[in-house]
C-alpha cells in the first residue's frame, strides 16, 4: 500500500510538472508577432510629411520589433516608439538605435518598449529624400519570434 501511494504521488507530481511546463511554453509563445502591412507616403508638404508612423499595436514581450521593407524608391531611417493605452504621446524606446531600410531590407529592431512599461509599440520612419512625394511599403510586428 505504501508503495502504491508513493507511486501515485510521483505520477501526480510528474503530471503537475508537465502541465506547468506546457502552460509556460504556451505563454512564452503567445506574443504579438503577426505581420501587419504598412504603407508610408512621404511628401514635402511640411516637416511632418517626411515622417510616417505605423499603427500602434500591443507589445507583449521583450523581443525585438520586426520590419520588412518590400518597396521603397529611397531609403528611410526607422526607430521603435512606445505608447500607453491611455495616451497619444509617444516615447522613443530605441535608445538611439536607428535602422536604415531600402526595398528588400529586413531588421529585427532592438527596443525597450516592454521593459520601460509601455503597452503599445509603433515604428516611426523618416525619409532620406525630402524633395519629392514617394511611398514605402512592407510588413512589421511589435514582437518577433
Amino acid at each position: 500500500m505504501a508503495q502504491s501511494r508513493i507511486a501515485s504521488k510521483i505520477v501526480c507530481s510528474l503530471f503537475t510538472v508537465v502541465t506547468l511546463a506546457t502552460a509556460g511554453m504556451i505563454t512564452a509563445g503567445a506574443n504579438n508577432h503577426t505581420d501587419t502591412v504598412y504603407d508610408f507616403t512621404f511628401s514635402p508638404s511640411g516637416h511632418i510629411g517626411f515622417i510616417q508612423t505605423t499603427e500602434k499595436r500591443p507589445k507583449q514581450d521583450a523581443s525585438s520589433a520586426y520590419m520588412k521593407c518590400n518597396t521603397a524608391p529611397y531609403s528611410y531611417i526607422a526607430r521603435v516608439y512606445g505608447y500607453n493605452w491611455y495616451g497619444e504621446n509617444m516615447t522613443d524606446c530605441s535608445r538611439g538605435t536607428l535602422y536604415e531600410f531600402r526595398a528588400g531590407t529586413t531588421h529585427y529592431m532592438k527596443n525597450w518598449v516592454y521593459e520601460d512599461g509601455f503597452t503599445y509599440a509603433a515604428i516611426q520612419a523618416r525619409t532620406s529624400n525630402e524633395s519629392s512625394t514617394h511611398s514605402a511599403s512592407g510588413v512589421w510586428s511589435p514582437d518577433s519570434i
Side-chain angles (χ1 to χ4, degrees), residues 46-60:
H47 176 71
I48 197 70
F50 301 123
I51 299 171
Q52 297 291 305
T53 306
T54 64
E55 66 182 274
K56 293 183 258 183
R57 289 184 52 197
K59 179 78 171 132
Q60 298 175 337

Side-chain angles (χ1 to χ4, degrees), residues 6 8 34-35 69 79-80 86 100 109 117 119 122 127 131 138 143:
I6 292 172
S8 178
T34 332
D35 287 346
C69 177
R79 66 180 83 194
V80 183
Y86 53 83
E100 184 175 12
M109 304 170 71
T119 53
T127 184
S131 62
D143 298 320

Side-chain angles (χ1 to χ4, degrees), residues 1 24 29 36 44 65-66 76 89 93 99 102 105 119 121 136 138 141:
M1 281 287 210
T36 296
Y66 167 83
Y76 63 88
N89 294 332
C93 293
Y99 296 88
R102 292 182 167 85
T105 307
T119 53
S141 65

Side-chain angles (χ1 to χ4, degrees), residues 115-136:
E115 296 86 342
D116 289 346
F118 294 100
T119 53
Y120 290 85
I123 298 175
Q124 188 179 80
R126 181 181 179 102
T127 184
S128 63
N129 179 338
E130 297 183 356
S131 62
S132 67
T133 299
H134 58 280
S135 298

Side-chain angles (χ1 to χ4, degrees), residues 68-112:
K68 177 182 180 184
C69 177
N70 294 327
T71 63
Y74 303 100
S75 66
Y76 63 88
I77 302 295
R79 66 180 83 194
V80 183
Y81 282 81
Y83 299 81
N84 279 321
W85 64 271
Y86 53 83
E88 291 298 316
N89 294 332
M90 59 188 195
T91 301
D92 181 357
C93 293
S94 63
R95 297 196 180 157
T97 305
L98 303 173
Y99 296 88
E100 184 175 12
F101 288 88
R102 292 182 167 85
T105 307
T106 300
H107 288 292
Y108 289 90
M109 304 170 71
K110 290 191 294 186
N111 68 85
W112 288 262

